[in-house]
Amino acid sequence: MRKIIITCAVTGGIHTPTMSDHLPITPDEIASQAIAAAEAGAAILHLHARDPRDGRPTPDPAVFMEFLPRIKQATDAVVNITTGGGLTMTVEERLAAPLRAAPEMCSLNMGSMNFALHPLAEKYSDWKHPWEQPYLAGTKDFIFRNTFGDIERIYKLLGEGHGTKFEHECYDVGHLYNLAHCLDRGWFRPPVFLQLIFGILGGIGADLDNLMFMKRTADKLFGRDYHWSVLAAGRHQMAFCTQAAMLGGNVRVGLEDSLFIGRGKLATSNAEQVAKIRRIVEELGYEIATPDEARATLGLKGGDRVNF
């Protein structure tokens, strides 16, 4: 029976503390929620760090190292560290923690894009911290940089340098072609792991026809040399993950991608979202993959070869 890999994106760099009291901010909160998500069924934990004083995204390796060893000690889940970081970070800042930790897996955005969060700045008036509103509003005039030069550099430093494999984040169909070009240049080893992303303003929209189009394009470009997963922002999260599972894909949930568990109802934890998608997947007749099964499927180096 086919087994589905559940990834949980625990905190991210999109949502801000005002939006939900359940968003993990401190290293202790990130570790606790990540461990609970793994216990609920997540095989992969996708991790960002936040400044514990005010919740803003931080690239500081020292903050990552406050929660990474605790997560490794408590669970055998695959640790996947962001190379996207926060929207104001340089590429050098985004690489600092992954290069320190040498994880089994890192995210890798497959193209530069408008990454627009400014509509969120208009939804709130009473902010917990002064940085939140300008951070969101500033994305109206922001390009999220991921050039071919950046991608090559990340591959050589992490892929060749540390044996890290990648969650290739594809926010639009052109990102699939970018990855195909990278493979032609020998930058990654198949099979690659695609994360097809829907519903970010600046990327492809959350329309199920677009999911089918992205999947057909991936089939054409990569044949059998890839695995794939889906995430969708906000209210589209569970519907797109369910459709992906039925089409033979894997799924990603977590408070990075959506703060909600149902219509108008905030999720109380990452584990709550993992438990919900696990229940859906199992009711569809599938099993979920263990961390070691995910490692074998994706060709990862193993948790004994990381620096935390």
Side-chain angles (χ1 to χ4, degrees):
M1 178 179 292
R2 181 173 65 87
K3 295 190 176 183
I4 292 176
I5 298 169
I6 299 176
T7 297
C8 181
V10 175
T11 190
I14 295 173
H15 298 119
T16 70
T18 294
M19 298 176 186
S20 174
D21 291 335
H22 307 294
L23 183 69
I25 301 298
T26 67
D28 181 67
E29 290 168 348
I30 291 169
S32 295
Q33 287 218 33
I35 293 165
E39 291 171 347
I44 300 175
L45 300 170
H46 174 66
L47 299 168
H48 293 238
R50 292 178 180 266
D51 187 324
R53 296 170 296 182
D54 61 8
R56 75 178 67 208
T58 179
D60 187 353
V63 179
F64 278 86
M65 295 308 292
E66 289 186 47
F67 57 78
L68 290 177
R70 180 176 164 190
I71 292 169
K72 182 184 177 185
Q73 184 177 26
T75 175
D76 65 345
V78 175
V79 169
N80 168 349
I81 298 178
T82 179
T83 67
L87 298 180
T88 59
M89 297 176 194
T90 66
V91 176
E92 288 72 21
E93 289 173 327
R94 289 157 48 184
L95 280 170
L99 289 174
R100 167 66 179 84
E104 295 182 76
M105 176 171 276
C106 280
S107 64
L108 179 54
N109 300 72
M110 292 312 300
S112 300
M113 60 183 290
N114 293 329
F115 201 111
L117 307 175
H118 60 274
L120 293 174
E122 302 166 2
K123 292 187 176 182
Y124 303 87
S125 57
D126 186 15
W127 298 92
K128 289 183 179 180
H129 303 287
W131 69 270
E132 296 179 69
Q133 194 277 339
Y135 176 81
L136 297 167
T139 62
K140 188 174 184 179
D141 193 31
F142 172 75
I143 295 173
F144 184 29
R145 172 180 166 155
N146 298 282
T147 67
F148 282 112
D150 297 332
I151 293 167
E152 179 183 22
R153 181 181 176 200
I154 291 169
Y155 163 69
K156 288 185 174 179
L157 288 173
L158 286 169
E160 291 184 355
H162 291 283
T164 298
K165 293 203 74 171
F166 298 94
E167 172 198 20
H168 295 277
E169 295 191 337
C170 298
Y171 290 81
D172 213 332
V173 66
H175 292 181
L176 296 172
Y177 285 89
N178 290 353
L179 177 55
H181 170 76
C182 294
L183 286 167
D184 288 342
R185 300 187 69 86
W187 293 352
F188 303 103
R189 302 190 316 274
V192 291
F193 183 47
L194 309 182
Q195 192 67 254
L196 307 181
I197 300 174
F198 302 87
I200 295 293
L201 183 59
I204 200 165
D207 185 315
L208 287 173
D209 285 342
N210 289 336
L211 171 54
M212 303 301 296
F213 177 50
M214 292 278 277
K215 177 62 169 62
R216 288 197 304 271
T217 303
D219 287 341
K220 178 173 66 175
L221 292 174
F222 309 117
R224 299 178 63 87
D225 284 337
Y226 80 101
H227 302 284
W228 64 289
S229 178
V230 162
L231 76 86
R235 63 186 175 88
H236 304 287
Q237 181 187 64
M238 292 296 168
F240 268 70
C241 285
T242 302
Q243 185 73 11
M246 292 191 294
L247 290 171
N250 302 289
V251 299
R252 177 173 133 173
V253 295
L255 297 182
E256 172 175 349
D257 304 333
S258 174
L259 295 174
F260 294 87
I261 193 64
R263 184 182 296 272
K265 183 180 179 183
L266 289 172
T268 59
S269 68
N270 282 276
E272 186 179 17
Q273 290 187 352
V274 173
K276 180 173 181 176
I277 196 60
R278 177 178 184 168
R279 182 172 64 252
I280 291 170
V281 163
E282 290 178 339
E283 288 179 354
L284 289 171
Y286 304 114
E287 296 181 5
I288 63 164
T290 67
D292 282 343
E293 288 168 338
R295 288 183 176 95
T297 297
L298 302 177
L300 304 183
K301 65 181 181 178
D304 58 338
R305 295 175 57 197
V306 300
N307 293 338
F308 55 89

